[in-house]
Amino acid sequence: MTALTNNYPFLSILFSLILLLGLYQIGEIIFKNKTIYRIFSEISEISFQNIFISVNFILLIFYPLVLYFESVLIINGLGYFILICGVYKILNSLINNQKTIYALKIKKFESIDHATVYFVMIFLFLLSLSPNTHSDSLGYHFTVANSIYKYGKYPLDITHIHTLLSGSGELLIAIGLLFGSEQFGGLVQFSGLISLFGIFKKINNKKKYFFLLLSLTTPVIIFLCSTAKPQLFHICSSAVVFSLYFLNYKSKLQNREKIIKIFISLSILIVSISSKFTFVVSGTL
């Protein structure tokens, strides 16, 4: 099976956006679980965490399946399921006359820092849609993703040693390649910043957007947003897990819910480590 949109840049971006909306829709389904909803609502507005929770859920479940069963049907089925969810999200929003992504809804700005955050986020979003020219991404991230998309398995070619450094993150890049959407990997990395935005938005501090700007305008963020390298999203994942334990000062969770929160936190960290082993350092902290 060949990619659908190899030669059409506009369609490549379009499919990437539809797939991103598919992740958003899957996140909405996951958050129908009241316990998971309560856990994340303590630190953020839930709409900002939809893509975050769906990406972690997909990598946690499907990475072992692709790794051990090596079937192209798995990646094809997952890819088309996400695409269908994205189309459903668009149609449902049009029918109900709602905003497609609440996280991008602009209200009255609270301060100049607040307005600047939106400007920077839009800039980084557009940057994530740019063609991938990063040598590391082209050198082995896309090579591994191409093998997953074509053959349903991770490559074991000893003549290309860098491919042995791959992890779970290439799975989502492969889904993008299934539809000829090389930008999908970059959009997934950018979505980690959306989850951080939701957390800062919840914080009751007048300087919260100033502190967020310090993070967003760090030069390395520009580099990471312009690539499909599975790193920025998982950096944000560590920050979300940190927030679950240090920003919920008035937690009203029951003991059972606290145990579930521990399980979810460990699962998120496991996904990050499976994507890039160096996350074992931040995960341990």
Side-chain angles (χ1 to χ4, degrees), residues 50-64:
N50 285 337
I51 298 176
F52 171 80
I53 196 68
S54 65
V55 169
N56 279 288
F57 175 81
I58 288 172
L59 294 183
L60 182 67
I61 300 299
F62 285 92
Y63 175 57

Side-chain angles (χ1 to χ4, degrees), residues 21 24 28 89-90 93-94 98-103:
L21 290 176
Y24 187 91
E28 286 189 335
K89 180 60 182 176
I90 294 174
S93 298
L94 292 175
Q98 298 175 346
K99 296 292 183 181
T100 304
I101 302 182
Y102 178 78

